[in-house]
Amino acid sequence: MSLLTEPRETAVSPDNFTIVKAKHPGRWISAAVIIFIALLLLRSVMTNPNFGWGTVGMYLRDVSIVRGIAITLELTVICMAIGIVLGVILAVMRIASNPVVRTAAFAYVNFFRGTPVLVQLLFWYNLAALYPSISFGIPGLDLDANRIITPMTAAILGLGLNQAAYMSEIVRAGILSVEHGQSEAAGALGINRLQTMRRVILPQAMRVIIPPTGNETIGMLKTTALVSVISVPELLYSSQIIYARNFETIPLLMVASIWYIVVTSILSIGQYYLERHYAKGGQRSLPPTPWQQLKRIVRVHAPLTSKGAIK
């Protein structure tokens, strides 16, 4: 008997057992409720004239908005680079055997995690009030703090140094997730501690480090909006400048929100594939990608040919 002649809910196995498809009414009910709520929200957003979708479309590719996006991405890349490099150094210091080094790293992390990032930005921006001239203790060196600490410099210092405190804990968690026997085996082979950390421990720790680092990168992209308070012309500040002239506050905030969503979505895709790359050593078989799932669905639901029919 052909299985294709059986009803969709039941089928007959090769052992003549009737297979009944499981019912999942809760899934259909919850899906219907979610779709209904989503349609209501979509209708409300699209039909409300106060959103000013015409203004949104007009300013979505405005020159100042595009420049603001470029500065936002620049800040994200620079601050995350500072945070990752300094975070690795602090993480190694946190697990060092020297108590002075451990205490210094702990004090740094505790200070920058214990104070709001907005306060840190304002502090760096007003550093000239505390140190009008900067010499770094070098005789004959006298630098004007007002010229050195520009709004962009203050933004990089505030966000980058703050991010390093969080990255240090992420890297430290990744290092501690690696079995201690790995470092013992490297020491037995005569590999020094620095090479062990760089070639043995950190590559294995990346499987734990990458996911939260991706989240921190996305968070950094949105945190750059805080630098608008010190007049850095990033995406939000560019939107504020425009709606201060034309009083179209909501449409310009929608423009900024749309661009934030677009960029974070692109970063999320990159994070997904980066996680898959570093998960190869910890899983026997990786789950299929969305593209692979789509191809499988298309292949399964494609019309059956005479050769592909189940007999």
Side-chain angles (χ1 to χ4, degrees):
M1 180 182 294
S2 174
L3 293 182
L4 295 179
T5 61
E6 297 295 328
R8 293 178 60 88
E9 292 79 7
T10 62
V12 178
S13 69
D15 298 329
N16 293 325
F17 289 105
T18 301
I19 302 174
V20 181
K21 188 176 181 180
K23 307 293 184 180
H24 301 285
R27 295 181 183 179
W28 293 101
I29 294 174
S30 59
V33 171
I34 292 173
I35 292 174
F36 177 73
I37 294 175
L39 290 176
L40 286 179
L41 291 175
L42 181 62
R43 181 178 179 274
S44 174
V45 170
M46 299 305 297
T47 59
N48 190 340
N50 295 324
F51 279 98
W53 292 111
T55 305
V56 171
M58 182 174 60
Y59 284 101
L60 201 58
R61 293 181 293 176
D62 187 79
V63 175
S64 59
I65 295 295
V66 174
R67 290 176 180 172
I69 297 170
I71 294 177
T72 296
L73 294 175
E74 180 183 357
L75 277 173
T76 302
V77 172
I78 294 175
C79 295
M80 282 305 301
I82 294 174
I84 291 173
V85 173
L86 190 55
V88 172
I89 296 174
L90 289 169
V92 174
M93 292 172 63
R94 286 291 304 273
I95 60 177
S97 57
N98 190 326
V100 178
V101 174
R102 289 202 311 270
T103 303
F106 175 78
Y108 179 97
V109 173
N110 190 55
F111 174 79
F112 282 95
R113 288 201 308 173
T115 55
V117 63
L118 181 58
V119 174
Q120 297 173 31
L121 286 171
L122 294 174
F123 174 83
W124 287 110
Y125 184 66
N126 295 282
L127 185 65
L130 187 61
Y131 295 102
S133 61
I134 301 175
S135 63
F136 299 105
I138 301 175
L141 181 64
D142 188 9
L143 303 176
D144 186 3
N146 286 313
R147 294 185 177 182
I148 296 176
I149 307 298
T150 62
M152 190 69 174
T153 305
I156 292 174
L157 290 173
L159 297 178
L161 297 180
N162 178 266
Q163 185 61 43
Y166 291 91
M167 284 303 306
S168 68
E169 294 301 288
I170 293 174
V171 175
R172 186 169 70 94
I175 293 174
L176 295 178
S177 68
V178 180
E179 295 181 358
H180 187 65
Q182 298 287 327
S183 57
E184 292 179 345
L189 294 174
I191 304 175
N192 60 43
R193 297 188 62 182
L194 181 60
Q195 291 179 334
T196 299
M197 181 63 66
R198 183 166 57 90
R199 297 183 178 180
V200 179
I201 304 299
L202 283 179
Q204 298 183 64
M206 293 300 290
R207 181 169 52 88
V208 177
I209 294 174
I210 288 298
T213 301
N215 294 335
E216 289 294 321
T217 303
I218 294 174
M220 174 61 71
L221 177 76
K222 295 178 292 184
T223 305
T224 55
L226 293 177
V227 304
S228 61
V229 301
I230 56 175
S231 302
V232 176
E234 44 76 55
L235 178 56
L236 179 60
Y237 187 78
S238 300
S239 302
Q240 290 174 333
I241 292 297
I242 296 175
Y243 72 64
R245 296 196 306 262
N246 61 12
F247 304 105
E248 297 284 353
T249 304
I250 298 299
L252 267 300
L253 290 179
M254 290 299 299
V255 169
S257 300
I258 290 172
W259 276 115
Y260 280 124
I261 292 173
V262 169
V263 178
T264 53
S265 300
I266 295 173
L267 291 178
S268 299
I269 295 173
Q271 176 187 355
Y272 173 78
Y273 284 99
L274 195 59
E275 288 180 12
R276 281 179 59 87
H277 174 74
Y278 284 102
K280 292 178 180 178
Q283 300 180 19
R284 290 185 177 180
S285 60
L286 296 176
T289 64
W291 176 246
Q292 292 172 340
Q293 293 177 0
L294 179 61
K295 290 195 297 183
R296 180 179 300 175
I297 292 174
V298 172
R299 185 169 60 250
V300 169
H301 294 280
L304 292 175
T305 61
S306 58
K307 293 182 179 179
I310 301 176
K311 301 295 184 182

